[in-house]
């Protein structure tokens, strides 16, 4: 996978503060300009709480995301906010727009690696051990999921796990650091590349906001990973 480039999008939360459909269109346009090999959408498309930005239906979100393009495809998994809204509707709309949802599923990507989608840690009944055991291939295995708290359960044969959910704390303050983490492990899986026991996790800080309509020193991002 020399110089293989992956765009990671998570926590779009369309309908939250500042996350309008017009803004999503600009994000899609910017990602497409990166000309990456693969795009992973790691959950929380919705602002389930119907926040300050106003409610946006899944059909409209999926229609915009359906304009993403990458050489080896675009894949998604559900986040906890998507589960709280309506996982079946979101899955149906995403797949109708050409984006397979891989919750608890695997797919071979262009004979380069197996991509393993893991259900949301909070709501998606994840079972990475069972999924990995069902993979009968010599290809490397990459995993992606919404919530990084599943990382301690990732089988040793997975070379990289990608996640979102934490928003990188969403707010960082001098001396106090990252203030809030929706994780059982505190800031252990906060953001960026994390290596534990020889395994690697990458957490993106995501795009939108949740609960508080602000980011402070944790700017929104679409992460571009290059595997060499």
């Amino acid at each position: 996978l020399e110089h293989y480039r992956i765009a990671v999008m998570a926590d779009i939360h369309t309908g939250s503060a500042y996350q309008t459909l017009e803004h999503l269109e600009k994000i899609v346009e910017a990602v497409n300009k990166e000309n990456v090999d693969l795009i992973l959408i790691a959950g929380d498309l919705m602002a389930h709480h119907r926040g300050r930005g106003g409610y946006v239906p899944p059909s409209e979100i999926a229609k915009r995301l359906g304009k993403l393009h990458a050489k080896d495809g675009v894949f998604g998994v559900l986040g906890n906010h998507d589960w709280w809204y309506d996982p079946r509707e979101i899955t149906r709309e995403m797949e109708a727009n050409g984006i397979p949802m891989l919750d608890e599923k695997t797919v071979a990507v262009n004979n380069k690696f197996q991509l393993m989608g893991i259900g949301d840690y909070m709501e998606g009944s994840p079972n990475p051990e069972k999924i990995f055991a069902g993979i009968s291939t010599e290809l490397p295995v990459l995993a992606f999921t919404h919530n990084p708290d599943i990382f301690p359960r990732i089988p040793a044969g997975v070379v990289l796990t990608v996640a979102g959910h934490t928003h990188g704390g969403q707010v960082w303050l001098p001396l106090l650091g990252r203030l809030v983490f929706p994780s059982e492990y505190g800031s252990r899986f906060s953001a960026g590349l994390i290596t534990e026991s020889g395994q690697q996790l990458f957490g993106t800080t995501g795009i939108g906001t949740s609960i508080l309509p602000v980011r402070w020193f944790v700017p929104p991002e679409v992460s571009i990973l290059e595997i060499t």
Side-chain angles (χ1 to χ4, degrees), residues 6-10 38-42 73-76 115 142-144 162:
I6 303 173
V8 182
M9 305 172 67
L38 183 73
I39 298 174
L40 301 179
I41 303 174
V74 182
F75 299 91
L115 180 62
L142 276 67
F144 79 120
V162 172

Side-chain angles (χ1 to χ4, degrees), residues 31 58 224:
V31 173
I224 308 294

Side-chain angles (χ1 to χ4, degrees), residues 88-158:
R88 283 175 287 191
E89 180 183 350
I90 294 169
T91 297
R92 181 175 65 249
E93 294 293 345
M94 290 287 279
E95 295 189 339
N97 283 275
I99 302 176
M101 299 297 282
L102 292 187
D103 297 77
E104 301 298 288
K105 298 176 185 175
T106 62
V107 64
V109 176
N110 202 11
N111 204 34
K112 295 173 182 174
F113 58 89
Q114 283 278 1
L115 180 62
M116 182 169 113
I118 302 171
D120 176 58
Y121 180 78
M122 295 172 64
E123 303 291 343
S125 303
N127 193 337
E129 302 90 346
K130 180 179 179 180
I131 306 169
F132 186 79
I135 297 175
S136 57
T137 178
E138 297 302 317
L139 295 174
V141 179
L142 276 67
F144 79 120
T145 190
H146 178 62
N147 189 325
D149 280 13
I150 198 68
F151 185 54
R153 287 178 50 195
I154 297 296
V158 176

